Amino acid sequence: MESIKIRKITSIWIITVLTLFVASIVLGILMRLNQGGVLQQTPITFYSNMTIHGITMIGIWFVAGMAGINYLMERYVKTSYTANLIALILTVIGVLLLWAVTLIGKFHTAWTFLYPLPLKVMWAKWATPTFLVAMSILSVGWLIWGISMMTQVLKKYSIAQAFAWQHFKKDPEVKTPPFILISMITLVGVITCLFVAVVLMALYFAEYFSGGSFVNDALLMKNLTYFFGHTIANEMLYLGLAVIYELFAEVGGRPKWKTTWYVALAWNFTLIFILTAFFHHLYMDFVQPEGFQIVGQLASYLASLPAAAVTVFSVWVAVYRVKIKWTLTNLLFFIGVAGWVIGGFGAVIDATISNNIVLHNTLWVPAHFHTYNVMGNVLFSLGFFYWFSIQFTDKLVSERFSKLILSLLIIGGAGFLLAFYIGGADSIPRRFSNYPAEFTSAKFLANFGAAFATIYLIPILILFYNITKRCLKILFSSSS
Amino acid sequence: MQQSSILLLFFFLMGIALIVFTYVYLSSKKADQGMTNPLKKRFWFFLILTVMMGIFASVTIPKSPYFAFADKTPAKVIHVAAMQFSFFLSENAIDPEKPSGQQIELPVDEVVEFRVTSLDVNHGFAIYDESNRLITQTQAMPGYVNRLRYQFDEPGKYNILCLEYCGMAHQVMRSSFTVK
Amino acid sequence: MSKNIVFLFLLIIGFCNFAEAQTTSNALKEETNIYEKVFDVPLQVVDRQSASFDELYAQKPVILALIFTRCTGICNPFLVKLKENLQFKTQENPFQVLVVSFDSRDGISDMRRLAQNLGLEDNKQWTFATTDSISRLNQSVGFEPIWDSLRQQFDHDALLVGINKEGYITKKLIGLREQADLELLIGSVNNIFSPTYRLPNQNSLFSCFNYDPVTGKNTPGLGLLFLALPAVLTTLLLVFISYFVRRSRQKRVQLN
Ligand code: HEM
Ligand SMILES: [Cu+2]
């Protein structure tokens, strides 16, 4: 009985995510076309679209990761259906409010809503408080979900076991599955950054309702904003990775991956350093003490590289000279890992202070984070969605059709991203609705990016149709 | 130019990743069950990675810009006040109540200091050279002043763009100065 | 009664506004002439050989105070406060104080008397001097005393000018200032660079850092607490939940 419930709610999550994904990609393509001069939106429309594109994308891939680990976690511990449902309801409310705030209210602070921009009302008066309320609703909903999952894991594993500390010794008695290890580490990060969001919202509300007598400190607010924003964007990737650790071997018909001492070590590094990596968003704020900046650079390396190395290595070991059953699912995983690594190179280059001074807030930034999302995390989650949807039906996507889907994804994604990277190296600023004439390559690159993003959209639409159809069937099947 | 070498480095790393991933993938296609897996020497892999990371960090961190030219006395101070959606540049301090700016001319081959702040929201202060390359930048944060020192080696006209999103006219928020 | 209170209230507000306006305009004036070279005047020094200004600052960076001995206003409290502030100053960052009169009526004996009154005549760190080119010096540091013939007094700022060993003005302070500002001044003449500083009159309750000019380092502020709080909360939550679920499980085991 219970397993049907979780199956259904996971289907709802998947349908919601895919629908919003398609809508947000369309907004993204419209943005690129506007930057390329093909469309003439007003800057306010452009920036409202950009704001909702950013928030939605972060939001949906975060919940996609959460829904994924929640579903798989049922294999190890019982999870709370109620918490899952609360999160779903609050997410839907929050997202609806946010779309209203941006598309009707024309709220356009960019998704990072840097203080004090949300309080300098340049849009409908109701938009600012509604935005703050919507963000609070999302934070609370996700906090409940995260804490509930953490509680369930802790019922079975002690703290030390959940973080696989016993693996630092030889031949541990209890073995922590890598899925539990990574989920736990990610949940701790998620809960922390959602607490940050709550603090941030509280400070905003305090200033908003004080009528000018309470003013926040801009540096503190910026730190809090990126603590929340960067960390959640980063953790959602790790949620996707937890799914890979669980499913990659299984789908290929191979024995499950095990936790070893270096897997444990690498992920514990992530646990610690992920919390200070966000400092790299403030490299160009000379007000931040230099010590913090250097911590930021080192933490950026240490939070990502060991975990990436371990994961990539595990994937290589699992594939190299091993006869495995390739399906759409593990191909998506495999390509996703490659995309994640390549985006990671772009990120590490940018997280280096002496490079950041010529890359900060140029198109290099959307270049690298779109790489490990568009060609990384999205593929992880799509792989999971597909795997989930075919579990309960027998009709598969044929191999030739999979090849077509993957080729279009790669070609579209690569062209779309290449335009961003070259733009970044050409010093073209990010978040410009229209480019000044002196950036001679900018318009061409924007249209080039738009064209390839459209190619990327085709396989997404196919998968959307394919997966949604099956999820709807799961949703409306009475028994099973 | 720093940007070109960055792009090259990125393409190089990407190329390696693509080659290795493709190679690994293809190897699984023509594998048979009995083959041994040589990827057991993980220790070396991690050691090399750590060493490379260490070298990269220790080479780049000393190049951080915060204390550039700290031991020099600049030839000129320029006060910069950013405000939605324009910059005020002046050789005198700028009154936040009545901000005003002036045309700025800077000496070539000498250290100059920009004291950058914002009168409303966060802005960016990015300097572009004549060939339209981003050469240096700092942020403009309300309540704080960031001191950016730089030595211009080439005379010419330099553009300033706002590189922190600040609202609906962010893309036209700009200014310029000349170096002689 | 209530009328009086309202009046008092308005008065206070008015005063606050005035004080604020005063500090902003001073803050603006302090930013003039920075990194300009101070004019190299000849100096007649009390109880020492006369010297030119560049010989003086070449030895040690200079904190220059401009005063006149017949001042019935700010000059005396200004110097007393400066002396107090510098009393416990260690030699960490070297500097010397140069007190120069901007009043042509002041002779070297007036300056000697001033030094004696302050009890500083034997203090090596302090130099009292007059010059015959005061207007050039005033101009180069942006100091503009105005003669008020009615009161027979100068209207002028209490100005301190920091000059580094190369003779460049690195920082100025106007008004009676606290120790911390003075430390910043001494740091600046020793070319201690901080990539940032904070503007006055800003809310700093929840600021993350406070710059300490003595060490050139930042000390943590209240704001950092907000940054650390979430991580602490999560850790506590983790420990708490873990403890709680284990205990309730043990109970269940005992019941069975
Ligand atoms: C093919 C699909 C996509 C297209 C065409 C697209 C397009 C764009 C464009 C044009 C921008 C503005 C770039 C600029 O600053 O000038 C943008 C920003 C952004 N995108 Fe995407 N994007 C796509 C997928 C994604 C995905 C999968 C994510 C997942 C996290 C994402 C997250 C973001 C974020 C966070 C921003 C920043 C918004 C802001 O600056 O406030 N995008 N995207
Ligand atoms: Cu701006």
Side-chain angles (χ1 to χ4, degrees), chain A residues 28 35 53 57 110-111 369-370 373-374 416 430-431 453 456:
Chain A
Q35 289 173 330
H53 168 88
M57 287 292 195
W111 101 271
F369 75 69
H370 276 100
N373 283 306
V374 169
F416 165 64
R430 75 184 282 203
R431 291 173 170 160
Y456 179 88

Side-chain angles (χ1 to χ4, degrees), chain A residues 22 70 85 98 130 173 245 301 344 430 450:
Chain A
V22 171
N70 192 335
L85 189 66
L98 286 173
T130 315
E173 260 173 52
Y245 272 76
Y301 290 6
R430 75 184 282 203

Side-chain angles (χ1 to χ4, degrees), chain C:
Chain C
M1 180 63 199
S2 64
K3 230 190 223 165
N4 282 344
I5 292 179
V6 169
F7 178 71
L8 199 70
F9 183 68
L10 287 179
L11 203 70
I12 290 173
I13 289 195
F15 179 77
C16 288
N17 279 342
F18 172 75
E20 203 166 280
Q22 196 67 22
T23 43
T24 17
S25 81
N26 278 349
L28 294 180
K29 261 197 263 177
E30 283 175 5
E31 294 286 347
T32 53
N33 307 85
I34 301 299
Y35 301 141
E36 285 174 12
K37 198 141 190 170
V38 69
F39 187 72
D40 181 19
V41 290
L43 296 166
Q44 281 80 53
V45 184
V46 173
D47 296 338
R48 257 178 272 166
Q49 261 188 344
S50 40
S52 68
F53 204 165
D54 66 347
E55 290 166 354
L56 221 59
Y57 59 64
Q59 293 162 2
K60 256 190 206 175
V62 168
I63 306 288
L64 170 69
L66 289 163
I67 51 90
F68 69 114
T69 59
R70 289 168 181 78
C71 183
T72 56
I74 197 163
C75 287
N76 204 43
F78 172 55
L79 288 176
V80 169
K81 178 135 195 175
L82 183 63
K83 179 188 157 193
E84 267 171 21
N85 277 338
L86 294 179
Q87 214 143 44
F88 303 107
K89 183 83 193 111
T90 55
Q91 283 298 306
E92 212 174 313
N93 293 316
F95 68 96
Q96 55 180 326
V97 183
L98 173 64
V99 183
V100 177
S101 165
F102 59 83
D103 184 351
S104 53
R105 293 172 297 177
D106 280 333
I108 205 80
S109 54
D110 294 307
M111 292 306 278
R112 182 177 298 121
R113 199 165 333 109
L114 177 66
Q116 282 163 355
N117 286 345
L118 288 165
L120 288 169
E121 70 270 32
D122 297 323
N123 191 323
K124 284 264 152 16
Q125 201 167 28
W126 289 66
T127 308
F128 290 82
T130 60
T131 176
D132 52 15
S133 331
I134 189 63
S135 58
R136 304 292 297 273
L137 181 62
N138 284 349
Q139 203 186 0
S140 73
V141 300
F143 182 64
E144 291 160 352
I146 296 163
W147 176 248
D148 181 348
S149 52
L150 248 166
R151 287 165 47 230
Q152 292 287 303
Q153 286 282 316
F154 284 100
D155 246 349
H156 69 102
D157 290 327
L159 173 71
L160 286 179
V161 185
I163 296 154
N164 70 8
K165 280 179 93 166
E166 288 78 47
Y168 290 101
I169 299 169
T170 57
K171 189 173 172 59
K172 303 207 288 193
L173 291 180
I174 294 175
L176 297 178
R177 301 292 279 266
E178 294 310 319
Q179 183 91 29
D181 291 332
L182 217 67
E183 300 283 5
L184 277 179
L185 185 66
I186 294 166
S188 84
V189 294
N190 283 287
N191 294 341
I192 293 177
F193 180 75
S194 156
T196 182
Y197 56 93
R198 182 191 285 272
L199 290 174
N201 297 331
Q202 292 286 337
N203 170 304
S204 54
L205 182 58
F206 289 155
S207 65
C208 300
F209 312 102
N210 299 303
Y211 182 70
D212 180 353
V214 181
T215 55
K217 299 242 159 61
N218 283 287
T219 55
L222 201 57
L224 272 191
L225 222 62
F226 285 86
L227 276 181
L229 189 71
V232 175
L233 263 179
T234 311
T235 314
L236 288 179
L237 194 70
L238 192 67
V239 174
F240 177 76
I241 292 178
S242 169
Y243 173 77
F244 187 73
V245 294
R246 313 225 118 213
R247 224 187 50 173
S248 64
R249 195 173 58 185
Q250 267 164 13
K251 258 193 205 146
R252 227 175 306 139
V253 170
Q254 276 165 11
L255 278 181
N256 293 344

Side-chain angles (χ1 to χ4, degrees), chain A residues 229-459:
Chain A
H230 170 82
T231 313
I232 197 159
N234 221 312
E235 297 288 0
M236 70 192 201
L237 239 150
Y238 297 146
L239 292 172
L241 285 177
V243 171
I244 290 195
Y245 272 76
E246 179 68 18
L247 289 183
F248 191 82
E250 182 181 321
V251 173
R254 303 285 309 167
K256 245 196 189 132
W257 294 359
K258 295 203 181 66
T259 303
T260 53
W261 67 269
Y262 50 83
V263 170
L265 183 69
W267 283 98
N268 275 280
F269 263 49
T270 303
L271 172 71
I272 299 166
F273 292 110
I274 194 80
L275 296 182
T276 45
F278 76 88
F279 286 147
H280 63 222
H281 284 269
L282 287 98
Y283 282 160
M284 290 304 114
D285 287 278
F286 294 6
V287 301
Q288 188 98 317
E290 200 196 15
F292 278 58
Q293 310 285 24
I294 291 169
V295 167
Q297 178 165 340
L298 295 178
S300 304
Y301 290 6
L302 290 175
S304 57
L305 289 180
V310 167
T311 308
V312 169
F313 209 83
S314 303
V315 170
W316 286 350
V317 171
V319 173
Y320 186 60
R321 292 194 182 170
V322 178
K323 189 126 206 96
I324 57 177
K325 205 169 86 220
W326 286 108
T327 64
L328 187 55
T329 303
N330 53 9
L331 277 172
L332 281 169
F333 288 162
F334 190 74
I335 297 167
V337 172
W340 172 48
V341 168
I342 293 168
F345 287 142
V348 166
I349 288 174
D350 191 26
T352 303
I353 302 171
S354 57
N355 293 332
N356 190 260
I357 193 155
V358 294
L359 296 179
H360 186 72
N361 281 345
T362 66
L363 285 181
W364 191 274
V365 181
H368 81 256
F369 75 69
H370 276 100
T371 310
Y372 52 66
N373 283 306
V374 169
M375 293 309 289
N377 192 27
V378 168
L379 304 194
F380 300 163
S381 286
L382 284 180
F384 169 76
F385 292 175
Y386 180 71
W387 171 84
F388 171 84
S389 75
I390 59 173
Q391 270 192 309
F392 314 106
T393 47
D394 35 31
K395 212 166 148 287
L396 302 185
V397 173
S398 76
E399 198 179 333
R400 290 230 343 250
F401 204 51
S402 309
K403 281 224 170 96
L404 176 74
I405 289 178
L406 293 171
S407 316
L408 288 176
L409 276 178
I410 293 176
I411 294 169
F416 165 64
L417 296 168
L418 193 67
F420 271 154
Y421 280 108
I422 294 177
D426 274 350
S427 304
I428 300 172
R430 75 184 282 203
R431 291 173 170 160
F432 267 31
S433 61
N434 308 87
Y435 293 118
E438 73 252 29
F439 293 104
T440 43
S441 63
K443 280 193 174 172
F444 170 75
L445 287 173
N447 289 327
F448 185 89
F452 278 86
T454 315
I455 297 178
Y456 179 88
L457 182 59
I458 299 169

Side-chain angles (χ1 to χ4, degrees), chain A residues 66 87 90 95 117 124 146 164 167 242 266 358 402 451 456:
Chain A
M66 288 288 275
L90 292 186
V95 167
L117 209 47
H167 283 274
V358 294
S402 309
Y456 179 88

